Amino acid sequence: MLQEGIGTHLARSYVILMLLHSVNSSFTSPTPASEKNEVADSKFVTKLKDASEAFLNFFRPVTCHYKERHTLVPCHVGGNINATVCLENRCCPSKGRHEVECYVPFKDNLQLTFRLFLVGAVGSIVLGCLPLFCCVCFQRSSCINPLRRANKKIEQILQNNKANSEEMHRLLSN
């Protein structure tokens, strides 16, 4: 453990930080026990929907950055349109004219590629380290590793030697 390089320790710390940052703390917050079951169930369903929506949004990134090759598709948000309403409905506000218009955001392939690469890299690290972790745990286990088990003959010899040394010590002390 002391011979481990600083680079691997830094890389491991960085991966752990990234994983902790990606965990949504609202998903793991417990519901109070004093609430009724119906309320707790509806909150759980809401949190589950939010978590699944966040998961799907992770693999469907969008951007509002307009490029020349994109065509603007209007976002139908209602009659009274302002930038806040536009953003609440997950649309992109544009100030092309005097009034604000909303358009559907564009699919961001570069960010999707980066996210898939990140998931693949973390998965490879986990799958690469899992056998090492299992080997270390199993090597220290006396149930699986037969070299860690005590040998019956050696154990019996040690008990006999201990009994003989106690007897000799008792005889010498008298």
Side-chain angles (χ1 to χ4, degrees), residues 75-81 85 89:
C75 194
H76 304 288
V77 292
N80 201 3
I81 301 173
V85 172
N89 290 317

Side-chain angles (χ1 to χ4, degrees), residues 75-139:
C75 194
H76 304 288
V77 292
N80 201 3
I81 301 173
N82 62 16
T84 307
V85 172
C86 195
L87 290 173
E88 285 175 356
N89 290 317
R90 295 186 181 146
C91 295
C92 300
S94 69
K95 296 185 179 182
R97 297 181 218 142
H98 294 290
E99 63 184 58
V100 176
E101 295 177 357
C102 291
Y103 61 92
V104 177
F106 306 108
K107 190 175 170 183
D108 194 356
N109 290 329
L110 183 64
Q111 194 170 19
L112 176 64
T113 304
F114 176 72
R115 288 177 181 181
L116 288 176
F117 174 75
L118 184 68
V119 167
V122 170
S124 296
I125 290 171
V126 167
L127 290 176
C129 293
L130 188 65
L132 295 174
F133 177 74
C134 291
C135 286
V136 167
C137 289
F138 291 153
Q139 184 181 10

